[in-house]
Amino acid sequence: MTSPMRSFTFHPGPRLIAGPECALQIAAQLPPGPCLFVTDPGVTQLGLARSCLEALRDSGREVVIFDQVEADPSKETLLAAAAAGRTARVASVVGFGGGSPMDVAKLAAYLIGSGDDLDTIWGVGNANGARLPLALVPTTAGTGSEATPVAVITCEGGEKRGVNSPALIADWAALDPDLTLGMPRALTAATGIDAMVHAVEAYTSARLKNPLSDLHAREALRLLSNNLIRACGHPDDRDARSAMLLGAHLAGLAFANAPVAGVHALAYPLGGLHHLPHGLSNALMLRHVLAHNSEAAREDYAELAEIVAPECAGQGSQARAAVLIDRLDALVRESGIAQRLRDHGIPAEQLPLLAREAMKQQRLLVNNPCEISEADAQRLYEAAW
Ligand SMILES: NC(=O)c1ccc[n+]([C@@H]2O[C@H](COP(=O)([O-])OP(=O)(O)OC[C@H]3O[C@@H](n4cnc5c(N)ncnc54)[C@H](O)[C@@H]3O)[C@@H](O)[C@H]2O)c1
Ligand SMILES: [Fe+2]
């Protein structure tokens, strides 16, 4: 006999266009009128956006380019992007790049469309106005931001603050794996591990775990764990890049509906205070937070272990949970990431401050399968140091 269905909700995300050159189709989807195009200097220099920009211009609309988004974008950058769009009276917004430009595009589209003040919408469910039509094109296979209702901005004192609201889910997402070809190893590794953490944390999300997120998370973890090392070692491998981009998107859909937790909460202060890339910060804390959770999340970790290490099927749940942690740790190591906080210039004296800062991430900590207190957080940073 099956147990009765538990209540849940699931937002299926943006309309998806996928395949080589698919970003060119965005021009035909957006409403007429000027378009704000949000990207960053690295993406511009690589020329990744050239054909998409051409298609937008060829459709007869003015394109206002804002290309000054930095990694872990600041509030000032976001407000400057929104001001540029407002001045040009844009009718739509495109975010083109990694999580940083996509997050700025999402919030710029919302602030321009709704007229809301940024300081009134932080947190979960507070952005309820109407945003401008929005299309997102990822060029990293990591954040899944093109699928999620989340945008993350770095505020005063390095605090990472998020807005999480259905209004931020884009109208269109375009997945073109060719845009991720040639990505350097360190970026491939960090962003790919970020996506794997999204899948794992969605699968164990304490309040909103649900069967559809589980489905997406499992397939995401399969695609990502089977292709990460290949993509790192063979930057131009189209199949591996396609699998990573799809995996990152599926992980995004999973955590859009079953939010991430402790690994992200402890990763954020490393990005906010020390500017470590988001995926790298997650990679450094992954093993330690999973070990902390391993009893509370034992059954879920055991199920995921069979995806990353099928040979462990048949072992007890405690053994399989340990296999998951070891296998993910091995992937981090094989991807070439130096695994200790000290390898990345974090001074030991900073650990208590990091633990204090992590406690500000209650939005995420409430989703963890067990409590992480400030003392726990300090212990976990010490283990990672
Ligand atoms: N909205 C969400 O749901 C969500 C989820 C996780 C993380 N985030 C946020 O996303 C941001 C991180 O995004 P990210 O990890 O994608 O990195 P990023 O957008 O910060 O980009 C990092 C660097 O990679 C370069 N780059 C991008 N695409 C490239 C390519 N194809 N080839 C070579 N270089 C390329 C960029 O120019 C930049 O210099 C953080 O601010 C994080 O907090 C958001
Ligand atoms: Fe993330």
Side-chain angles (χ1 to χ4, degrees), residues 180-194:
T180 67
L181 288 176
M183 234 202 295
R185 184 183 188 102
L187 186 62
T188 303
T191 50
I193 286 160
D194 182 29

Side-chain angles (χ1 to χ4, degrees), residues 142-144 191 193-195 197-198 201 255 260 264 268 278-279 282:
T143 68
T191 50
I193 286 160
D194 182 29
V197 176
H198 295 156
E201 295 211 289
F255 91 87
V260 293
H264 272 76
Y268 274 151
H278 174 73
N282 274 296

Side-chain angles (χ1 to χ4, degrees), residues 39-46 48 69-73 96-103 106 138-154 160 163 177-184 187 190-192 194 198 252 255-256 260 264 268 277-280 282:
T39 187
D40 72 27
V43 169
T44 305
Q45 203 177 5
L46 289 166
L48 295 175
V69 178
E70 71 279 39
D72 300 304
F96 194 108
S100 298
M102 288 195 286
D103 283 4
K106 286 158 94 166
T139 63
T140 61
T143 68
S145 176
E146 78 283 359
T148 76
V150 180
V152 184
I153 296 295
T154 304
K160 292 264 222 158
V163 178
D178 288 0
L179 297 173
T180 67
L181 288 176
M183 234 202 295
L187 186 62
T191 50
D194 182 29
H198 295 156
F255 91 87
V260 293
H264 272 76
Y268 274 151
H278 174 73
L280 172 64
N282 274 296

